[in-house]
Amino acid sequence: MTIDIKSMGYIRVASTDLDAWQTFAGKVLGLAEGRGPNPAHQYWRIDQVSARIVVFPSDVDQLDCTGWELADHQALQSAREHLQKAGVEFEEGSADELDERRVQELIRFRDPWDNVFELFHGITYEARPVVTPYAATFVTGDQGMGHIVVPVLDDVEALRFYTEVLGFRLRDSMSMPGEFVGKEPGTKVWLRFLGVNPRHHSLAFLPMPNPSKCVHVMLEVDKLDHVGRALERVRKHGAPLSATLGRHMNDEMISFYVKSPGGFDVEFGTEGMTVDDARWVARESTAVSYWGHVFGGQ
């Protein structure tokens, strides 16, 4: 018995510069402004859910936490019992935190590398339709809001923790030279891509520390034209391009990467592969991409 995570629900971002996020989220990524209980926070919508990204003022720029959606109270209660048996300490969300996230229940814990995860159920959704500034439709539904790549220090333990403790399923792997992350020459480390629903992966990890506590977050739109238009807005607003347009091998996403004001990248893409767990076999991809994705943006 493992935790039955349904999808990636939200992220919360700590920021020293909310004006930069206002431009980046609204004008570069084309997210829709939402509303929320704290007037000092930014609430960003991409679908019916009241807020998928919340940015709040802080003295640091980094990912604060990732929220993962469970079906209901019973699923969350089972998760509590599972974490207790696994020796993972967690805390209950306070009334103010539930109000801020607009969920009915949540628990919070840290993985062994200080990445903060929240498990929740009962998030609110809006009667008012989402109208994005540039008419893009984001791919969410049972695939959740997208995917996230987090930094770890031990790729072997990370695979065990995320699969055995949290219930993610291995979808794809990619090896890289150990010296790339400061290991001994001749060794190799693993990037692993893990899923919980039809999206090819909702969580991945890179065995390298990262001060922003996140490698990248991915948002998917329904048409290639929306990716192209977003790429033009990156250029128009002078946002730092981290990787050129390309198509990944593992999930076949056509995307580019842009540096967020939080210090982590946002991957903006389309045409991501979906997976049928009953038929899927995990494999090792031999390159990051079929074409493109020149990191450094050149």
Side-chain angles (χ1 to χ4, degrees):
M1 184 69 182
T2 58
I3 298 171
D4 188 14
I5 293 172
K6 296 299 187 186
S7 69
M8 178 179 165
Y10 58 77
I11 62 169
R12 295 179 57 81
V13 181
S15 175
T16 64
D17 189 347
L18 267 70
D19 287 343
W21 269 102
Q22 188 75 33
T23 299
F24 181 75
K27 296 187 180 302
V28 177
L29 299 181
L31 312 186
E33 287 192 61
R35 295 176 289 203
N38 191 326
H41 296 186
Q42 293 177 8
Y43 301 91
W44 295 101
R45 291 181 64 192
I46 58 174
D47 60 4
Q48 283 184 301
V49 172
S50 298
R52 291 291 196 175
I53 299 175
V54 178
V55 185
F56 61 89
S58 176
D59 57 357
V60 295
D61 288 297
Q62 64 184 29
L63 181 75
D64 180 66
C65 70
T66 308
W68 299 92
E69 187 163 23
L70 276 60
D72 51 26
H73 167 76
Q74 187 55 52
L76 189 61
Q77 184 57 33
S78 295
R80 289 184 179 98
E81 296 168 4
H82 184 76
L83 290 173
Q84 284 175 335
K85 289 178 182 175
V88 177
E89 294 184 6
F90 61 87
E91 60 187 22
E92 298 289 333
S94 68
D96 285 346
E97 288 168 341
L98 298 182
D99 184 51
E100 161 72 3
R101 291 153 178 78
R102 286 169 283 187
V103 300
Q104 292 181 27
E105 280 186 285
L106 77 84
I107 60 174
R108 180 187 305 103
F109 62 93
R110 296 173 185 270
D111 74 6
W113 307 278
D114 208 35
N115 298 304
V116 181
F117 291 79
E118 294 181 350
L119 304 180
F120 71 89
H121 76 86
I123 200 165
T124 62
Y125 60 104
E126 301 290 326
R128 185 168 51 95
V130 65
V131 180
T132 59
Y134 306 105
T137 297
F138 287 83
V139 177
T140 58
D142 61 358
Q143 296 189 52
M145 73 168 280
H147 75 235
I148 192 161
V149 183
V150 296
V152 302
L153 298 180
D154 183 339
D155 53 339
V156 176
E157 174 58 19
L159 182 62
R160 186 204 70 81
F161 182 83
Y162 295 138
T163 55
E164 295 182 16
V165 178
L166 300 189
F168 286 89
R169 298 182 286 279
L170 181 64
R171 296 277 169 77
D172 196 81
S173 301
M174 191 170 67
S175 66
M176 52 194 256
E179 51 264 42
F180 184 72
V181 295
K183 305 283 188 185
E184 289 294 314
T187 62
K188 66 180 178 180
V189 293
W190 290 97
L191 286 73
R192 305 285 192 182
F193 301 86
L194 311 168
V196 288
N197 58 45
R199 191 179 292 284
H200 176 274
H201 58 279
S202 296
L203 174 70
F205 60 80
L206 180 70
M208 188 190 321
N210 186 309
S212 65
K213 302 186 76 172
C214 176
V215 180
H216 75 255
V217 173
M218 188 282 299
L219 300 175
E220 183 178 0
V221 289
D222 64 336
K223 294 178 182 175
L224 181 59
D225 283 347
H226 292 313
V227 177
R229 290 179 181 128
L231 195 51
E232 289 188 343
R233 297 194 300 270
V234 167
R235 192 174 298 113
K236 175 183 177 181
H237 293 283
L241 190 67
S242 301
T244 58
L245 192 70
R247 188 191 283 273
H248 280 306
M249 273 192 74
N250 59 8
D251 65 355
E252 299 185 358
M253 185 82 68
I254 299 175
S255 63
F256 66 86
Y257 290 72
V258 60
K259 185 72 72 178
S260 78
F264 53 86
D265 286 343
V266 173
E267 180 185 5
F268 196 93
T270 192
E271 298 184 15
M273 176 194 296
T274 56
V275 165
D276 174 3
D277 269 313
R279 301 173 59 84
W280 185 257
V281 292
R283 293 177 175 170
E284 178 186 350
S285 51
T286 53
V288 172
S289 305
Y290 288 117
W291 54 267
H293 285 140
V294 178
F295 283 84
Q298 299 301 314

